Amino acid sequence: MRAVRMLDLELERRFLGPRLETAIQEVLSHSQFIRGPEVSLFAEELGKYLGSIHVIPCANGTDALQLALMALNLAPGDEVIVPAFTYVSTAEVVALLRLQVRWIDVSLEHFNLLPEKLEESWSPKVKAIVPVHLFGQAAPMQEVMEFAREKGISVIEDAAQALGAEYIYPDGRRQKVGTIGDIGCTSFFPSKNLGCYGDGGAIFTHHKELAHRIARIANHGQDSLYEFLEVGINSRLDTLQAAILRLKLPYLDDFNARRRAAAEVYDAYLGDIEAIQVPVRVSWSSHIFHQYTVRVLDGRRDALRAYLQEKGIPTMIYYPKPLPLQPAYQDSAYPVGSFPNAERLAQEVLSLPMHPFLSEDQLAYIGESMRAFFR
Ligand SMILES: *Cc1c(COP(=O)(O)O)cnc(C)c1O
């Protein structure tokens, strides 16, 4: 059996085969490494895939979030609601722009923000909310959108972990995550469901003016060459990455389906273990399993992790500490205990190996090893 990895990019490269070299070779041939034709072609293709939306490529997912916030004309001290249980980028860009984070606790079932806490997280200074679609499943967007409309605030979706996942409305209508709020953001970091072979990111919006503005901010604030209309940043997706993403985009749905199939095999092995909560599938979203994250309910998470490590099975803890308790983000307004669910999840979550190329024998080996631990 091939050694199990959290993510196996080598198998993906084998799957893509010589097409990968061809795509890279084409860029080398024309040598337009910045703003080459592949960049705008990819933006168009991704826009079509998501459902006719403007796509502005940028350098990484963190920049995407920063650009989205910069385009909203917020003033220093304005507040932004962010889940207490997410990757650091979501809060980092808020703090960088001298805005204030207002944390919201998350669900023990689906790990996304808790709609019943929205009102509590609000203040008159709140100007935006950043729902994160964690681990590949949509946040409760209908509640978020209703709340945002009622309060007159903007919605920036962090879809870095959920590109291709669909929000499902009560009437069955489906909409790709990242295209529901005012602005959507994603990352093409190699480990994401649509990853490039370096750094990359993108911003989505239905509003033409806003798209134009975001593209301008990402390009030093210039509209035409050497006319700087506002202070911007330099954030570009490079041509090589765009060429790789163009090659991979047509496989995104297939890769996500393979992840789902692997998740079902995990479920079958783990579903009846009392101390394990397998990933809860919510009614309002498809799940693309960026991560397969279980909760270990008997306090033995770290022991299980060590046991699996012994067996050659890597696992990860996403995330070991809620952001409000991280040194850089501590605030006396939010003492320990402010976000009980996020704090509890940090003690209980464990992410198992997840990628489109897990074999049946690998999945069986992981499932059996988990069962053996709890026997
Ligand atoms: C990966 C990730 C980001 C940041 O993406 P980078 O491309 O690494 O900057 C932001 N938010 C979430 C939830 C992520 O998982």
Side-chain angles (χ1 to χ4, degrees):
M1 188 185 75
R2 180 180 172 82
V4 180
R5 301 181 191 170
M6 277 304 282
L7 167 78
D8 205 326
L9 288 175
E10 193 183 317
L11 291 182
E12 181 193 277
R13 263 196 352 260
R14 273 189 221 165
F15 171 88
L16 295 171
R19 288 168 294 177
L20 193 56
E21 274 85 68
T22 308
I24 292 171
Q25 201 55 53
E26 266 173 45
V27 177
L28 296 181
S29 305
H30 66 57
S31 295
Q32 293 180 55
F33 298 115
I34 298 295
R35 297 196 193 286
E38 286 83 356
V39 180
S40 51
L41 287 169
F42 170 64
E44 260 169 53
E45 288 156 6
L46 182 59
K48 254 187 220 130
Y49 169 82
L50 292 170
S52 105
I53 192 164
H54 302 284
V55 171
I56 305 103
C58 67
N60 56 67
T62 310
D63 274 9
L65 290 161
Q66 180 177 336
L67 287 161
L69 283 172
M70 286 175 83
L72 293 183
N73 296 324
L74 306 183
D78 282 349
E79 299 179 341
V80 181
I81 300 172
V82 174
F85 193 66
T86 175
Y87 186 58
V88 67
S89 302
T90 324
E92 184 178 44
V93 293
V94 175
L96 262 178
L97 295 172
R98 300 276 174 249
L99 305 166
Q100 196 66 38
V101 180
R102 285 194 68 99
W103 304 104
I104 183 168
D105 206 0
V106 298
S107 160
L108 291 172
E109 266 87 53
H110 54 76
F111 312 141
N112 279 317
L113 67 79
L114 272 175
E116 58 264 36
K117 297 276 178 189
L118 284 168
E119 200 59 52
E120 213 177 290
S121 69
W122 190 75
S123 93
K125 283 185 169 174
V126 169
K127 297 288 153 51
I129 177 167
V130 188
V132 178
H133 307 297
L134 204 68
F135 302 152
Q137 193 166 233
M141 284 307 288
Q142 231 184 346
E143 289 89 337
V144 169
M145 295 308 291
E146 272 162 29
F147 171 79
R149 268 186 222 115
E150 184 198 314
K151 305 292 188 195
I153 64 173
S154 304
V155 178
I156 299 174
E157 296 178 69
D158 183 342
Q161 301 190 3
L163 200 67
E166 289 178 323
Y167 187 81
I168 305 166
Y169 291 90
D171 65 2
R173 195 164 56 88
R174 287 165 171 259
Q175 190 172 2
K176 291 259 163 37
V177 310
T179 70
I180 301 164
D182 299 283
I183 306 178
C185 298
T186 204
S187 162
F188 304 121
F189 186 81
S191 70
K192 309 291 185 186
N193 290 44
L194 178 61
C196 58
Y197 292 169
D199 272 308
I203 301 135
F204 324 128
T205 180
H206 291 289
H207 313 291
K208 199 172 165 201
E209 324 276 77
L210 194 54
H212 185 84
R213 174 93 194 282
I214 292 167
R216 181 165 87 198
I217 298 172
N219 184 26
H220 300 291
Q222 64 188 328
D223 247 349
S224 50
L225 199 59
Y226 295 116
E227 273 289 306
F228 304 104
L229 301 181
E230 62 183 315
V231 176
I233 63 174
N234 171 25
S235 189
R236 300 182 282 238
L237 178 71
D238 71 66
T239 314
L240 277 168
Q241 302 308 335
I244 290 161
L245 288 166
R246 284 192 76 201
L247 176 64
K248 286 181 64 176
L249 178 60
Y251 299 105
L252 177 58
D253 284 343
D254 175 44
F255 284 4
N256 285 344
R258 291 180 186 219
R259 286 171 182 263
R260 243 184 327 265
E264 273 158 30
V265 177
Y266 276 144
D267 283 353
Y269 279 99
L270 309 178
D272 66 344
I273 301 176
E274 220 161 286
I276 293 282
Q277 177 191 293
V278 299
V280 173
R281 274 64 150 192
V282 299
S283 58
W284 62 79
S285 179
S286 64
H287 203 322
I288 59 160
F289 289 97
H290 174 61
Q291 298 296 340
Y292 184 93
T293 302
V294 300
R295 274 174 75 201
V296 184
L297 304 169
D298 65 355
R300 290 200 291 159
R301 192 261 318 262
D302 295 342
L304 170 63
R305 186 167 194 227
Y307 175 83
L308 294 173
Q309 190 65 50
E310 287 279 296
K311 303 232 146 207
I313 300 168
T315 57
M316 287 293 282
I317 295 170
Y318 302 118
Y319 297 94
K321 201 189 265 193
L323 290 178
L325 299 182
Q326 290 285 355
Y329 296 94
Q330 276 168 8
D331 178 339
S332 57
Y334 299 113
V336 175
S338 301
F339 305 102
N341 290 358
E343 288 171 35
R344 183 156 167 199
L345 288 177
Q347 305 298 320
E348 295 179 342
V349 287
L350 189 67
S351 298
L352 303 184
M354 177 48 78
H355 59 79
F357 301 95
L358 281 164
S359 67
E360 267 171 48
D361 52 347
Q362 286 178 321
L363 287 164
Y365 177 66
I366 299 166
E368 290 296 353
S369 302
M370 294 273 289
R371 293 187 73 80
F373 177 83
F374 287 102
R375 246 192 310 265

